[in-house]
Amino acid sequence: MVTRWIDLRSDTVTKPTEAMRSAMAKAEVDDDVLTFDPTGLRLEKEMVRITGKEAALFVPSGTMGNLISVLTHCDVRGSEVILGHNSHIHVYENGGISTIGGVHPRTVINNKDGTMDINMIEAAIRDPAFEICYPTTKLICLENSHCNAGGRCISVEYIDKVGELAKKHGLKLHIDGARIFNASTALGVPVDRLVQAADSVSICLSKGLGAPVGSMIVGSKSFIAKAKILRKTLGGGMRQIGVLCAAALVALQDNVGKLEDDHKKAKTLAEGLDSINGLRVDVAAVETNIVYLDILESSNMTAPKLCKALEGHGILVMEDKPDRVRLVLHHQIFATDVQFTLSCIQQAVNAASDENAASPLGI
């Protein structure tokens, strides 16, 4: 019988700490739609300090934060945004920029490290002289860290170059910074410097930081004023948000410093997995808290089989493809959990190998 669970599906699965629950219970609140929630204002002020931007806005989710940001910059239907083909906005956010905002996505191939070639970005910018046929390019989007690239980090030098390109063509730059604190920690670059070239940034509070709900958007005062109206339009204008913002303030105080340890545990897990016959991990690509495990055909194992075997031991992971599994570390996963997970995966792979050997045809 499973008595405890090790949940590696995502860093979104963390439970509020006792300090968060206490802060939530004691939070001073008011109506945020009327801009009076004092705890919400404290959180916005703190994010302004951290990011170096003029203003900030609490939103229910990262998807809404990205949607609001894109729609604020692309305020005319038929505008176009340049973004990576494997980016979270393009792949995982229900096509909201198109279905709700009438914004056309123009994709550029993401490199393995999550970047896009600068020359390819520039080539994707539409010629305004041919606007009779083309949509109007308004925005470039980056993602840092890059989820589908395995949590790889985008360097400040690269972001600055994209920012310069955007300014050259009169465009805006938005960063999907759902895990920007992970990127900042891994790169050793303060968040404000990392996002300096961006006109707007969305930052998730409920991933690596471990708060229960919410994201922030930061940008200029005029940008946030427009974003606040869109938030209301999309149903994201809530009332006593201080209950949620109180937990986020605790997360910023208590959990940012734990991200480095999350990264170390991810690297330990990656190295251990890569040493198991039949499995492969690109260890060098594990820069933050995300590990992608590739299952070789010779192992007689599949992702669904491995997920089921691990669940029997109280370990939850996420199937990415039939031969690939994603594991994500967070502050509620301990070093002993990593070692137990490695032991159970080794056991599952050995069992699959034994089944193969016992087959009359060896297949």
Side-chain angles (χ1 to χ4, degrees), residues 10 26 47 62 81 96 111 145 161 214 223:
S10 179
K26 299 174 183 176
M47 293 304 294
V81 55
N111 299 317
S145 65
K161 288 179 181 177
F223 170 86

Side-chain angles (χ1 to χ4, degrees), residues 86-334:
N86 213 13
S87 65
H88 197 281
I89 293 175
H90 186 61
V91 178
Y92 294 121
E93 299 184 6
N94 303 103
I97 62 171
S98 299
T99 57
I100 295 175
V103 178
H104 187 260
R106 177 120 157 125
T107 58
V108 172
I109 297 295
N110 282 116
N111 299 317
K112 286 185 66 175
D113 65 357
T115 62
M116 299 174 281
D117 289 343
I118 299 287
N119 291 338
M120 291 180 67
I121 295 176
E122 186 159 31
I125 298 171
R126 302 289 189 173
D127 181 357
F130 205 48
E131 64 181 0
I132 189 69
C133 291
Y134 292 157
T136 302
T137 307
K138 288 286 193 75
L139 179 66
I140 302 170
C141 290
L142 300 177
E143 181 179 338
N144 203 12
S145 65
H146 199 286
C147 178
N148 276 352
R152 299 285 291 273
C153 302
I154 310 300
S155 73
V156 67
E157 293 81 10
Y158 174 83
I159 296 171
D160 285 349
K161 288 179 181 177
V162 176
E164 290 168 6
L165 177 66
K167 283 186 173 62
K168 174 183 172 183
H169 291 275
L171 310 179
K172 299 297 184 181
L173 173 61
H174 172 71
I175 295 178
D176 175 1
R179 295 183 175 93
I180 196 69
F181 282 95
N182 289 90
S184 171
T185 298
L187 294 169
V189 178
V191 171
D192 60 345
R193 178 64 189 89
L194 204 52
V195 303
Q196 183 176 300
D199 296 285
S200 62
V201 189
S202 60
I203 301 172
C204 189
L205 302 165
S206 64
K207 290 190 169 73
L209 297 183
V213 178
S215 287
M216 302 294 294
I217 310 170
V218 295
S220 68
K221 289 180 181 179
S222 61
F223 170 86
I224 292 298
K226 294 175 182 177
K228 188 173 290 187
I229 296 170
L230 266 173
R231 183 185 68 171
K232 186 69 167 65
T233 303
L234 294 170
M238 299 185 289
R239 302 300 178 177
Q240 286 74 37
I241 65 167
V243 175
L244 300 174
C245 294
L249 284 164
V250 173
L252 288 169
Q253 176 181 313
D254 292 354
N255 292 345
V256 173
K258 298 176 183 178
L259 295 177
E260 184 176 3
D261 190 50
D262 293 345
H263 299 173
K264 289 177 180 177
K265 287 179 291 191
K267 185 70 82 170
T268 298
L269 178 62
E271 290 170 348
L273 291 171
D274 194 50
S275 69
I276 298 175
N277 289 335
L279 305 180
R280 183 177 60 206
V281 173
D282 184 354
V283 176
V286 179
E287 296 177 355
T288 54
N289 63 326
I290 300 174
V291 178
Y292 278 102
L293 168 63
D294 292 311
I295 303 171
L296 306 183
E297 190 174 348
S298 60
S299 69
N300 196 38
M301 176 62 75
T302 65
K305 284 172 62 176
L306 181 58
C307 291
K308 184 175 181 180
L310 291 177
E311 189 172 348
H313 293 285
I315 301 169
L316 300 177
V317 298
M318 184 178 290
E319 177 186 345
D320 183 59
K321 298 177 183 177
D323 60 352
R324 178 177 255 210
V325 169
R326 190 183 82 157
L327 308 94
V328 184
L329 282 292
H330 49 81
H331 75 98
Q332 291 175 341
I333 298 296
F334 304 100

